[in-house]
Amino acid sequence: MEITVTADGRLMWPGGGFRCALGRGGVRADKREGDGGTPVGVWPLRRVLWRADRLERPRTALPAAPIAPDDGWCDEPADPAYNRPVTTPYPASHEALWREDGVYDVIVVLGHNDDPVVPGLGSAVFLHVARPDWEPTAGCVALPLPDLLRLLEDCGPGTVLRVVEPTP
């Protein structure tokens, strides 16, 4: 199955469509670490992570695992664990996956810059929960929790997310 994301903040798949939040740097074909851009391309949905203390396991055929309080994701291009999960505390720059604001209550890990990892081309590009005020992300795609959970019901191995390049 293919999920399509447009530069104007629409996410569509054969089962429906929703408004989504995108990166503060817009949709970018030249994604770089820290630019806030949502990368153009086709990204496999690798797995789902969720806060088991807040939610039941999402209904999906994707592999899924609960997030632990010490889970993080390395975003330091010079570190060997760049764009990989890490256990915190971690000496290099990283994002905490156990967050109080709810945006990482459900995370879909996208196959962006992971096979192989290229330092500096972007890390921690996820599909996750949108903030209530639709604040832009740091480069991810975000949906309200009910919409994300509905989408995941239709996802399984082989599902990809296509971020379409903006038209001039």
Side-chain angles (χ1 to χ4, degrees), residues 23-168:
R24 69 179 180 280
V27 172
R28 302 186 58 100
D30 60 345
K31 173 72 182 158
R32 297 291 181 265
E33 185 66 42
D35 66 7
T38 299
V40 168
V42 179
W43 315 118
L45 277 60
R46 300 285 192 213
R47 66 189 179 282
V48 176
L49 305 173
W50 88 97
R51 286 278 303 256
D53 62 319
R54 294 183 175 171
L55 303 165
E56 292 183 15
R57 181 191 191 279
R59 291 182 10 203
T60 186
L62 291 167
I67 298 169
D70 61 354
D71 284 342
W73 201 274
C74 182
D75 58 10
E76 171 51 57
D79 193 83
Y82 178 63
N83 199 30
R84 299 272 187 239
V86 295
T87 301
T88 63
Y90 190 75
S93 177
H94 62 278
E95 274 197 65
L97 300 187
W98 189 272
R99 293 172 55 142
E100 294 308 312
D101 63 7
V103 298
Y104 282 179
D105 283 2
V106 176
I107 301 169
V108 181
V109 177
L110 301 177
H112 171 263
N113 192 27
D114 70 344
D115 188 23
V117 172
V118 178
L121 291 188
S123 64
V125 177
F126 303 134
L127 174 60
H128 63 71
V129 179
R131 289 181 174 85
D133 62 0
W134 291 99
E135 180 181 332
T137 70
C140 299
V141 176
L143 293 169
L145 181 61
D147 297 350
L148 180 53
L149 293 174
R150 170 61 192 95
L151 172 66
L152 286 173
E153 291 177 11
D154 291 349
C155 295
T159 300
V160 297
L161 184 128
R162 176 184 301 274
V163 179
V164 179
E165 190 162 4
T167 52

